[in-house]
Amino acid sequence: MHNFRTKFIAAGALALSLGLGAVPAKAQEFINVLTGGTSGVYYPLGVALSEIYGKGIEGARTQVQATKASVENLNLLQQGKGEIAFALGDAVKLAAEGNTEAGFPGKLDKLRGVAAIYPNYIQIVASKESGIKTLADLKGKSLSVGAPASGTELNARAIFAAAGLKYEDLGRVEYLPFAESVELIKNRQLDATLQSAGLGVASIRDLATSVPINVVAVPAQDVAKIGSPYLSVTIPKGTYEGQTEDVATAAVGNFLITHADVSDETGYQMTKLLFENLDQLTAAHAAAKAIDMAKALDGMPVPLHPGAERYYKEKGLVK
């Protein structure tokens, strides 16, 4: 028996020396998908992605982690505590720069790009009875700006600066996730919520079916003041119950990000399977309809992961 074990170990060592080490290693491939709050868009897409990777990557064990989204996700990736994460473009840029005010301890140098996915629409929604119709109307009112130093809250800061507003102008600032913000508005304990999410996000749909709402515009001239990576977009009428007209706002691209210690093969498979299973992602949340391989590299704030780069070379997106 002892002799067999020795032979087995020797065979294993030989396999490793021949560069076949990936075969045993594959059996323990672990992919932790970092998402956001369960009432947002990242979470259902992350669940779908983990199922796709669990089936499509040989020997992979996957799990989904609900988090405070962008900022936390990027810090976890840097620490090697996740393999792929959803994050907002401006948060990724600030992470690479090591912006401490945004919640990063220093330059996150291990971040690597997988794909640009769909845009987050900055959606400011107030109860009709609050009387808030414009950004200026927020003065003296209560607003939830998202979890502290979350991607959403970074968006709130940018919008406020462009509109010439400060948090001090508000009657009260709450730093709450989407679902909790909505509950407070329903209970008349909060006037408005700013949510950075895909169109048709569950939290705002829930709010709009419970109380009459106003969707507050972010005018194009304010969006232009912020500049890249913000874009001027429209929330089409009827996106939410009671929304009778198109509303201008800002959008920021979302990205799937990994880190440098994820193997090239896993990075390749994660990218390939993403684009081969878009129907499954769209079934999980309609925001995924906007994922387009032709735009996968648009505005990527960090270097591409070598595995992702290999996939895009095969597809002719990278020379």
Side-chain angles (χ1 to χ4, degrees), residues 71-134:
V71 177
E72 183 181 2
N73 290 352
L74 297 167
N75 282 324
L76 287 170
L77 281 181
Q78 178 73 14
Q79 296 158 19
K81 291 180 179 167
E83 282 61 49
I84 192 163
F86 290 79
L88 269 168
D90 52 348
V92 180
K93 187 169 177 274
L94 294 167
E97 291 165 0
N99 187 310
T100 50
E101 219 178 283
F104 302 108
K107 289 185 180 179
L108 305 194
D109 57 355
K110 290 192 166 182
L111 303 180
R112 297 293 181 268
V114 174
I117 43 176
Y118 65 91
N120 254 25
Y121 285 64
I122 293 152
Q123 302 171 74
I124 305 171
V125 179
S127 64
K128 216 167 208 121
E129 71 175 22
S130 70
I132 298 165
K133 292 177 178 169
T134 67

Side-chain angles (χ1 to χ4, degrees), residues 27 45-46 69 85-86 101 124 135 139 167 187 218 221 227 230 236 245 247-248 257 264 266 271-272 297 303 311:
L45 289 181
F86 290 79
E101 219 178 283
I124 305 171
L135 289 174
K139 286 182 181 173
Y167 282 178
N187 299 329
V218 179
Q221 64 265 27
Y230 287 71
E245 49 198 48
V247 178
I257 304 291
D264 289 5
T266 299
T271 314
K272 181 174 189 278
L297 306 176
Y311 177 74

